[in-house]
Amino acid sequence: MTESKETKYQVAQPLTAYFWPFDVPTRVWHSLWVRTTPELPTGDNAFWRWALSGREMEDLKRVPWWVTLECRADSAALSKRQHRAVEIVRYTRLAIQLVAPVGCNESTIVVSGPTGVSTVHPPPMPSTPWGRISGYENVSLAEIRRVVRGVNSILRVRVPRLINALNFLELGFGAENQYISTFLWVSGLDAILMAGTPKNFRERLMNVLGDQTFVLPKVDPGGQPKYRVGEVAEDVYELRSQIAHGNLISKKFLEQVRLMNVNEKIIESYAPPTQYLHIVRECALFLLIGVLKKIFLEDCAKLANNANLWRTKLNSPW
C-alpha cells in the first residue's frame, strides 16, 4: 500500500480589524473558524520577503480576527485542493461581510504548511461609512452560520446568478471609486432580479424585501435612517444607468444632504460632506446584501438556477 503524500495545511485570511462580537475561536461552518491572528512566517522566510513588503507583513500581524480552514493537500504550491480551500475561505469571509459589512483593508490569503508558505492577493475590502457604523448590531452568530453555509452551497452546486452577484459585491468593496462600486452593487441586484427595466427592478425588489422595509440598519445613537425600499429603488437604478451609459450625473444626486432618521433628525455620526449619491451608494450596498441574505436565510438559492421558476418567485411578494 502506498503511503499518502498529503500534508496538513492551514488557509487563513484576515476577516476584520474592526470588531468581532463573538467568542474566539468561533466555528462558523464545518472546518471553518474565526480565530485570532495565526502564526505567520517571519521576515527571515525568503518567500515571505519576496511576496510581501515589510509594511504588509506588519499590517497582517496587526489584524486580530481571521477566517481559517485546515485542509489536507499534496505538497505542490497551490495545488487543486489548495485552490479549492482558498476559494472556500475567500467566499466565507465575503459571506460574513454580507451579514455585517464592516470591511477589512487586509486581504492576503496565507497558505502555510510543513513544506512552505504561499500567498494569494485578492483586492482589499474597505466598506462604506454606514457599513462600518452599523457593524454587528442586531447580527446573530446563527445568522452568520446560515449565510456561510448558503454561500458555500451555491459554490458547490454552481448557481451562476448568485455567484455573479457575490463577485459584484466583492468587486464593489474593492473599488476605490464611489461610482464604480455603486455600479457594481446595483448590477449585482439587477442580475438577481432579472430586471432589465426600472419597473421590473423596483417591483421585484419590493416583492423580495417589502415596500416599507428600511434599507439601512438602525444604530444607536443615531436611530433608524428613514430610507425605505419603495422610496429609493428608482433612484438606485437611475444612478446606475447614468454611470453605465456615461451620462452626466443628475443634479439631484449631487445635492448636498445629510443622512436623516425617521424623526427627520440628522444622524451626526455620518459626517459631511455628503451628497445624495453617497446615500444612494449606501442603499445600493444594503439592498444587495439584504436580497442575498434573504435568499440564503430562506434557503431558496437553488431555485435561481431555473429562470422560469425564479422569475415567477420574483413576481410575487415573498
Side-chain angles (χ1 to χ4, degrees), residues 35-230:
R35 300 184 186 274
T36 55
T37 310
E39 184 176 346
L40 299 172
T42 66
D44 295 334
N45 183 291
F47 180 85
W48 201 237
R49 291 200 312 270
W50 174 81
L52 300 169
S53 69
R55 173 66 180 271
E56 289 171 326
M57 294 179 200
E58 293 303 315
D59 288 344
L60 282 178
K61 291 177 181 178
R62 282 194 286 265
V63 180
W65 295 287
W66 291 59
V67 176
T68 68
L69 171 65
E70 290 188 349
C71 67
R72 301 194 71 84
D74 60 48
S75 59
L78 288 181
S79 64
K80 183 177 181 179
R81 189 173 291 184
Q82 288 182 32
H83 271 293
R84 173 64 178 146
V86 166
E87 181 183 62
I88 290 171
V89 167
R90 172 188 157 208
Y91 277 98
T92 296
R93 183 178 83 146
L94 186 60
I96 297 173
Q97 295 285 354
L98 191 160
V99 180
V102 298
C104 187
N105 289 332
E106 305 302 327
S107 292
T108 299
I109 299 175
V110 181
V111 183
S112 54
T115 60
V117 61
S118 56
T119 57
V120 180
H121 299 275
M125 193 184 282
S127 187
T128 63
W130 199 251
R132 292 188 292 272
I133 290 169
S134 59
Y136 287 88
E137 286 204 24
N138 302 313
V139 171
S140 71
L141 183 57
E143 186 178 32
I144 289 174
R145 284 171 170 158
R146 288 178 65 190
V147 173
V148 168
R149 181 188 65 194
V151 168
N152 280 285
S153 295
I154 67 164
L155 294 176
R156 187 176 64 253
V157 301
R158 310 309 294 179
V159 184
R161 189 179 309 283
L162 300 182
I163 293 172
N164 288 345
L166 287 168
N167 289 336
F168 280 131
L169 174 63
E170 182 183 45
L171 291 169
F173 275 128
E176 295 182 4
N177 184 287
Q178 61 193 5
Y179 294 108
I180 299 301
S181 58
T182 303
F183 168 79
L184 290 165
W185 290 332
V186 184
S187 296
L189 277 168
D190 203 7
I192 296 172
L193 299 174
M194 302 172 63
T197 67
K199 181 176 182 293
N200 281 343
F201 183 86
R202 182 175 186 271
E203 290 181 355
R204 290 174 180 173
L205 194 57
M206 291 190 300
N207 282 340
V208 176
L209 296 178
D211 179 17
Q212 295 299 308
T213 301
F214 290 111
V215 178
L216 304 178
K218 176 183 177 182
V219 300
D220 291 311
Q224 174 62 63
K226 67 178 185 177
Y227 315 95
R228 299 177 189 267
V229 173

